[in-house]
């Protein structure tokens, strides 16, 4: 059948007056030209899908000239591979007067297939009876191919990301994880944390990369981070890198003015087993160092005590010499005493000179959790022997502090030793040592709590005095806490003791992160 334009006029049944009031710009001709020149395949059928009109684009897309299409059912376009359920839904919708949009596999006149996106709109008469169907379709093959490509790439990327043997997490501006992989999910459950990414970033302890405006390339590279777990779980180590990722905004308002958001891709590779080997070697070296430090401290304590003991009698001799000199200048006794005093002071000075100096190491960054774990490891034998249970309550990630790691180990070791001594009192059954770390503003707070007999109120201030000890005389000189206090002061921090006998003792140490 021939495609006659007057039939279209009749079909559309539109008059300028019906379209628009006024001197009809929108007349049949305008409609006809618009439909003829539209860059979308348009067909009009009767209620049984018999084609009565096709536009030139329809012919271009399908290969059927108007006279080859008109009079045939639209099914001439069917490749017979579209599932019947699709046609069922199509007809269910349009026969009820509702338009339908969907995708069908079509075949051109030359036999090639294409994916059509089709919209069918029922056209009704004044009584609401369906008189025609208007079909608009376009070849969606390229779009579909592109969609598949994107989907394939997505699934390829997600299988690579999921299969990667490292933790990957993409974070937005507010450190919210918007994409992660299986290793990340595994870490979440292993550490029992909602967002380990936040902990890893917090443990980096540096915020310069967050503040930077030029977000390109690496934010940080191969930064080693330690995550501590409460209880007996040993710490885990990760080598972390951060890469800035720019993502174009896909909102409509960003179409002409390109907008992009920058995300941080966190890549964390576990280095715990490597660290464990290093840790073994470090502990052996630390053990030797602490043993040497203890030997030197004992010597320092003994010599300081000897100096302290000698200062008393020498002061008395000095006053006697002064008194005798005032009474009689020629008293031979006075001369002998003065000579003895001089010799005594020289000997004292020599003794002072023999007191070993506090070993000074260069300052470096230190992780307090790591130092405390080392102290616990060093004290394991003593803790076991005394039957003391340990409650290890570290903050999962602590920022590093700048200080003298060896001195800090001496400090914590002396606090732990004191706690062990206190709880080792004969007949004392409550034996628990608790070590807690947490950040407080710019400080790191360490709590060393024991369940020993405690220190009476009146002695709590005195414990920091040199040569004051509540332990059996002769065995301890009482300089441990004085040295501990000095180390804390050297780090710009504070140390206090709280005790309500007989409910044990809590030592608070505050160490500033930055000074
Ligand atoms: P058919 O024997 O035609 O029927 C398949 C299913 O549709 C059956 O479940 C049948 O019950 C139902 N059905 C068929 N005709 C009617 C009807 N008049 N009333 C209610 N249910 C009915 N198909 C394409 O494959 N490609 C196209 O591009 C395409 N464009 C279309 C454009 C318009 C405007 C319309 C109205 C239909 C179009 N169709 C198109 C649908 C087409 O008419 C056929 O229904 C379809 O191609 C299936 O043809 P078939 O010969 O395989 O099966």
């Amino acid at each position: 059948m021939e495609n006659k334009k007057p039939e279209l006029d009749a079909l559309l049944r539109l008059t300028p007056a019906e379209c628009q009031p006024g001197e009809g710009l929108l007349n049949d001709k305008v409609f006809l030209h618009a439909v003829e020149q539209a860059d979308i395949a348009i067909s009009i059928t009767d209620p049984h899908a018999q084609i009565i009109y096709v536009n030139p684009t329809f012919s271009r897309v399908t290969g059927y000239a108007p006279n080859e299409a008109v009079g045939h059912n639209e099914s001439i376009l069917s490749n017979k591979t579209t599932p019947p359920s699709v046609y069922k839904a199509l007809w269910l919708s349009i026969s009820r007067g509702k338009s339908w949009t969907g995708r069908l596999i079509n075949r051109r006149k030359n036999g090639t297939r294409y994916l059509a996106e089709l919209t069918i709109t029922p056209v009704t008469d004044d009584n609401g009876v369906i008189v025609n169907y208007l079909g608009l379709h376009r070849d969606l093959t390229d779009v579909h191919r592109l969609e598949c490509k994107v989907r394939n790439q997505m699934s390829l990327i997600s299988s690579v990301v999921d299969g990667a043997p490292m933790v990957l997490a993409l974070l937005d501006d507010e450190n919210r994880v918007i994409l992660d992989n299986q290793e990340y999910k595994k870490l979440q459950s292993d550490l029992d944390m909602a967002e380990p990414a936040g902990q890893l970033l917090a443990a980096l302890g540096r915020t310069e990369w967050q503040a930077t405006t030029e977000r390109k390339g690496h934010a940080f590279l191969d930064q080693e981070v330690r995550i501590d777990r409460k209880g007996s779980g040993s710490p885990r180590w990760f080598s972390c890198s951060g890469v800035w990722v720019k993502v174009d905004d896909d909102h409509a308002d960003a179409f002409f003015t390109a907008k992009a958001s920058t995300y941080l891709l966190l890549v964390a590779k576990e280095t715990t087993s490597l660290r464990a080997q290093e840790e073994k070697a470090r502990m052996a070296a630390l053990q030797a160092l602490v043993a040497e430090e203890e030997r030197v401290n004992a010597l320092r304590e003994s010599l300081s005590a000897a100096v302290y003991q000698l200062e008393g009698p020498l002061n008395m001799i000095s006053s006697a010499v002064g008194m005798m000199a005032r009474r009689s200048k020629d008293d031979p006794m006075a001369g002998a005493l003065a000579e003895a005093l001089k010799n005594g002071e020289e000997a004292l000075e020599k003794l002072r000179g023999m007191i070993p100096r506090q070993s000074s190491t260069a300052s470096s960054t230190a992780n307090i959790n790591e130092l405390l774990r080392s102290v616990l490891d060093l004290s394991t034998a003593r803790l076991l022997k005394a039957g003391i249970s340990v409650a290890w309550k570290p903050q999962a990630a602590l920022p590093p502090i700048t200080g003298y790691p060896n001195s800090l180990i001496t400090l914590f070791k002396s606090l732990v030793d004191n706690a062990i001594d206190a709880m080792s009192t004969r007949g004392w059954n409550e034996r628990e040592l608790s070590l807690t770390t947490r950040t407080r503003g710019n400080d790191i707070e360490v709590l060393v709590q024991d369940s020993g007999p405690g220190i009476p109120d009146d002695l709590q201030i005195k414990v920091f005095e040199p040569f004051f000890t509540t332990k059996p005389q002769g065995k301890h000189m009482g300089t441990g806490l004085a040295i501990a206090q000095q180390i804390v002061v050297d780090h710009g921090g504070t140390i206090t003791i709280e005790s309500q006998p007989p409910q044990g003792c809590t030592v608070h140490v505050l160490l500033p992160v930055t000074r």
Side-chain angles (χ1 to χ4, degrees):
M1 195 194 282
E2 232 181 302
N3 185 26
K4 293 180 194 142
K5 279 169 194 163
E7 278 180 5
L8 175 66
D9 297 350
L11 255 173
L12 293 172
R13 297 198 180 119
L14 292 169
T15 66
E18 281 168 334
C19 290
Q20 278 283 318
E23 293 305 308
L25 252 177
L26 281 169
N27 56 24
D28 296 3
K29 221 171 163 189
V30 173
F31 271 99
L32 183 61
H33 286 163
V35 170
E36 286 274 299
Q37 289 164 35
D39 195 23
I40 186 162
I42 299 177
S43 57
I44 297 172
T45 71
D46 69 6
H48 309 288
Q50 296 291 334
I51 300 172
I52 54 177
Y53 168 79
V54 296
N55 75 346
T57 302
F58 180 99
S59 300
R60 200 172 65 241
V61 172
T62 65
Y64 290 106
N67 60 333
E68 292 168 321
V70 171
H72 291 277
N73 190 287
E74 291 272 9
S75 64
I76 53 160
L77 297 178
S78 172
N79 186 53
K80 311 288 177 203
T81 46
T82 300
S85 57
V86 176
Y87 295 125
K88 209 168 171 187
L90 176 161
W91 280 107
L92 199 69
S93 178
I94 63 174
S95 57
R96 287 179 178 175
K98 287 187 187 145
S99 64
W100 178 90
T101 299
R103 293 178 182 188
L104 307 169
I105 303 166
N106 274 1
R107 193 207 297 255
R108 295 189 184 86
K109 186 183 162 192
N110 65 9
T112 56
R113 275 150 295 165
Y114 67 99
L115 183 76
E117 186 178 64
L118 169 70
T119 295
I120 303 175
T121 307
V123 180
T124 53
D125 64 12
D126 294 344
N127 302 316
V129 176
I130 297 172
V131 285
N132 299 104
Y133 290 116
L134 171 68
L136 306 175
H137 87 259
R138 62 192 177 112
D139 182 350
L140 208 69
T141 314
D142 287 345
V143 175
H144 173 68
R145 197 170 290 135
L146 213 66
E147 280 175 359
C148 285
K149 215 169 163 182
V150 170
R151 254 200 316 273
N152 289 342
Q153 265 174 8
M154 280 289 290
S155 79
L156 194 75
I157 289 169
S158 50
S159 40
V160 169
V161 165
D162 263 347
M166 59 195 55
V167 169
L168 294 172
L170 192 67
L171 294 103
D172 69 7
D173 255 359
E174 285 159 39
N175 282 356
R176 280 179 306 221
V177 176
I178 54 164
L179 202 87
D180 57 24
N181 70 343
Q182 285 303 325
E183 281 294 308
Y184 184 81
K185 291 187 176 77
K186 201 161 149 259
L187 192 66
Q188 278 178 316
S189 88
D190 284 359
L191 299 180
D192 194 19
M193 278 179 194
E195 289 304 358
Q199 294 288 350
L200 290 169
L201 292 183
L204 285 172
R206 290 188 357 204
T207 48
E208 299 107 75
W209 61 268
Q210 278 171 319
T212 180
T213 45
E214 207 201 317
R215 300 189 154 188
K216 260 197 218 158
H218 277 102
F220 47 87
L221 192 64
D222 297 335
Q223 299 267 321
E224 199 136 74
V225 160
R226 175 190 169 110
I227 296 287
D228 281 273
R229 290 181 282 173
K230 289 191 174 65
S232 55
S234 43
R236 290 174 67 172
W237 289 90
F238 297 89
S239 171
C240 296
S241 296
V243 184
W244 293 118
V245 179
K246 254 199 176 103
V247 177
D248 285 336
D249 193 336
D250 55 6
H251 287 101
D253 55 359
F255 185 76
F256 292 109
T257 343
K259 283 185 197 162
S261 304
T262 313
Y263 294 90
L264 182 76
L265 177 67
L266 176 69
V267 183
K269 211 166 167 21
E270 180 140 21
T271 53
T272 307
S273 60
L274 197 76
R275 264 283 172 167
Q277 287 166 17
E278 284 174 15
E279 195 68 358
K280 242 184 191 166
R282 199 182 66 84
M283 277 310 294
L286 195 63
Q287 245 153 358
L289 185 102
V290 168
E292 174 64 10
E293 195 96 333
E294 278 176 351
R295 196 187 63 76
V296 171
N297 277 345
L299 191 63
R300 190 181 300 117
E301 278 193 26
S302 309
L303 289 172
S304 303
V307 168
Y308 183 68
Q309 298 280 320
L310 279 174
E311 273 169 349
L314 277 179
N315 283 344
M316 278 165 64
I317 295 174
S318 170
S319 350
V321 167
M323 264 163 45
M324 286 167 98
R326 276 195 298 279
R327 239 186 278 146
S328 155
K329 281 193 177 128
D330 305 322
D331 188 343
M333 218 19 212
L337 264 184
E339 186 61 26
L341 179 65
K342 190 172 153 262
N343 289 341
E345 278 172 343
E346 277 172 11
L348 196 65
E349 216 34 58
K350 267 191 196 151
L351 213 54
R352 279 202 190 100
M354 285 160 76
I355 298 177
R357 302 206 177 281
Q358 196 79 40
S359 62
S360 60
T361 47
S363 89
S364 60
T365 54
N367 181 299
I368 297 293
N369 280 344
E370 185 178 345
L371 299 183
L372 283 168
R373 279 296 298 218
S374 304
V375 168
L376 279 179
D377 288 346
L378 288 170
S379 310
T380 306
R382 281 200 75 202
L383 288 161
L384 285 173
K385 195 170 164 211
I388 297 170
S389 63
V390 176
W392 170 230
K393 302 170 190 168
Q395 178 171 298
L398 276 186
I401 72 160
T402 309
Y404 307 96
N406 290 348
S407 302
L408 290 169
I409 283 184
T410 304
L411 156 71
F412 295 128
K413 176 90 172 39
S414 77
L415 299 182
V416 167
D417 281 344
N418 282 349
I420 297 174
D421 289 343
M423 290 185 283
S424 300
T425 309
R426 200 180 286 273
W428 196 265
N429 294 328
E430 294 290 311
R431 294 187 177 196
E432 188 184 274
L433 171 70
S434 157
L435 293 182
T436 309
T437 61
R438 55 193 176 209
T439 40
R440 282 209 160 190
N442 185 41
D443 293 326
I444 288 176
E445 184 179 42
V446 180
L447 300 183
V448 181
Q449 292 166 293
D450 66 64
S451 57
I455 305 171
D457 274 0
D458 52 327
L459 300 183
Q460 281 175 27
I461 303 176
K462 287 178 95 85
V463 291
F464 290 108
E465 289 175 9
F467 306 115
F468 175 84
T469 180
T470 57
K471 298 171 194 172
Q473 288 292 334
K475 259 183 123 182
H476 297 271
M477 302 289 178
T479 53
L481 277 178
I483 293 172
Q485 190 177 37
Q486 189 54 50
I487 294 171
V488 173
V489 168
D490 289 346
H491 284 81
T494 57
I495 179 168
T496 49
I497 289 191
E498 244 177 60
S499 179
Q500 284 180 331
Q503 281 169 0
C505 201
T506 301
V507 183
H508 292 253
V509 178
L510 277 180
L511 296 167
V513 175
T514 48
R515 271 184 283 161

